[in-house]
Amino acid sequence: INPALTGNTEQLRVICNWRKQWLSVPGAFKTYALSADYNFKKIKSGVGIQLMRDKAGSGDLRFINIAGLYSYQIDLARLHHVKAGLKASYTIRDVDYSRFVFGDQIVRNDGSGTNEQFASGKRSFPDFSTGGVYYYSNRLWIGSALHHLTRPNESVTGIKTRLPMQFTLHGGYHIALKKNVKKHIVDALIPVINYKQQQDWDQLDAGMYYQKSIMMIGVWYRGIPVFKAYKPGYSNHDALSAMAGIEAGNFRFGYSYDFTISKLFGNTRGAHEISII
């Protein structure tokens, strides 16, 4: 979401994510991610590394991305802080043409390969992002980021296709419902919002978490129902996500399920995501 969020805990943090989206669709989207970050408090810096792999479609359209991240904190006042961040990454994209069936193969119907000519089907490129976050105490945060600053060519077919820049805006507020004798929050509501825009496409995620001791539940809505429709007849409703998490010692476990509410409802079987921190 934002490289300025790197090193946001005082401990070394390692995060694993697995997501499978639209199980009813052939070649469903599968995403794996692994990241680690650490806060060097003395020099007000956070550093991190991130690895992500994604595979989608019957042609195994894949990408692998490895990134290094850095953030620096500026203390404006006792409770007011700003963090700025940078992300430098390298992406490898490829597609397996042997998994496709082309028109000339259907016409001949003899089991032989296609006469179509293709580029290598593989491309790699560097990519860069930057962002910032404002914090008030540990209760309010507002941030934004710009991704794909150099607009790299991501095409695997030999055609020049520049990746559009992406803008994100996000924030949240920690509402204390109950504190213990040491003034630590034990019950809280956390409303959160995340807006993303890339070329003609945009998305609004709005959610709410309830946190009690070591447990958390939440719900998100994804879509923009009023402000924009891409063209007549297209809906901006996407999904409702239900989440639950629990903390056990140094571990946090999370699970979420997406209920599709777009016109694909009934045809996707939603999406599952598991996180271990």
Side-chain angles (χ1 to χ4, degrees):
I1 296 177
N2 191 335
L5 298 172
T6 306
N8 254 24
T9 58
E10 293 187 359
Q11 305 88 353
L12 170 66
R13 174 172 57 176
V14 179
I15 305 173
C16 304
N17 302 97
W18 171 86
R19 179 179 176 88
K20 190 169 184 179
Q21 180 173 321
W22 296 357
L23 280 71
S24 295
V25 178
F29 299 88
K30 298 176 185 177
T31 307
Y32 311 85
L34 175 66
S35 61
D37 63 345
Y38 185 74
N39 177 26
F40 291 91
K41 194 171 182 179
K42 289 184 178 180
I43 56 174
K44 300 180 180 180
S45 297
V47 296
I49 187 168
Q50 192 176 63
L51 178 66
M52 182 178 291
R53 182 179 184 271
D54 184 86
K55 185 171 73 170
S58 55
D60 277 357
L61 178 63
R62 296 167 292 197
F63 81 76
I64 297 174
N65 176 270
I66 185 168
L69 304 101
Y70 174 78
S71 69
Y72 183 77
Q73 179 172 309
I74 301 168
D75 299 322
L76 305 177
R78 189 174 68 88
L79 298 177
H80 299 266
H81 313 277
V82 171
K83 288 182 71 176
L86 294 171
K87 175 182 176 181
S89 67
Y90 192 78
T91 298
I92 301 171
R93 288 174 59 91
D94 68 346
V95 64
D96 185 358
Y97 288 117
S98 69
R99 299 177 66 92
F100 291 104
V101 177
F102 296 90
D104 58 337
Q105 293 172 286
I106 296 173
V107 170
R108 291 196 308 273
N109 196 26
D110 58 4
S112 60
T114 180
N115 293 320
E116 297 281 351
Q117 300 294 316
F118 306 102
S120 67
K122 189 172 184 179
R123 176 170 293 277
S124 57
F125 52 86
D127 200 359
F128 302 92
S129 304
T130 187
V133 182
Y134 162 77
Y135 294 94
Y136 173 71
S137 183
N138 60 349
R139 300 184 65 179
L140 171 72
W141 68 96
I142 302 171
S144 66
L146 275 176
H147 307 269
H148 317 306
L149 294 175
T150 56
R151 299 193 60 221
N153 179 20
E154 64 168 353
S155 173
V156 295
T157 64
I159 301 171
K160 194 170 186 179
T161 306
R162 293 237 174 239
L163 189 59
M165 278 198 293
Q166 182 186 34
F167 168 75
T168 63
L169 178 67
H170 40 272
Y173 186 70
H174 209 101
I175 303 170
L177 301 179
K178 183 180 178 182
K179 296 182 180 181
N180 60 20
V181 293
K182 295 182 178 180
K183 302 299 183 181
H184 294 154
I185 297 173
V186 291
D187 281 22
L189 277 178
I190 310 170
V192 282
I193 194 168
N194 181 29
Y195 173 77
K196 294 179 276 191
Q197 187 270 331
Q198 189 172 24
Q199 199 164 306
D200 296 331
W201 173 87
D202 61 358
Q203 174 180 305
L204 178 68
D205 305 336
M208 177 79 74
Y209 294 106
Y210 172 64
Q211 188 173 7
K212 182 177 179 63
S213 185
I214 62 170
M215 299 185 67
M216 181 205 70
I217 57 173
V219 62
W220 282 81
Y221 165 78
R222 190 161 63 240
I224 304 181
V226 177
F227 301 106
K228 180 180 176 182
Y230 299 101
K231 58 178 69 174
Y234 275 53
S235 171
N236 275 334
H237 297 293
D238 184 13
L240 286 173
S241 297
M243 302 181 179
I246 189 167
E247 185 173 316
N250 288 331
F251 286 85
R252 290 182 181 177
F253 302 90
Y255 169 76
S256 70
Y257 179 78
D258 286 11
F259 299 89
T260 302
I261 59 174
S262 70
K263 292 182 179 180
L264 295 174
F265 175 78
N267 298 303
T268 66
R269 287 173 52 202
H272 301 270
E273 184 167 342
I274 297 172
S275 302
I276 302 173
I277 305 174

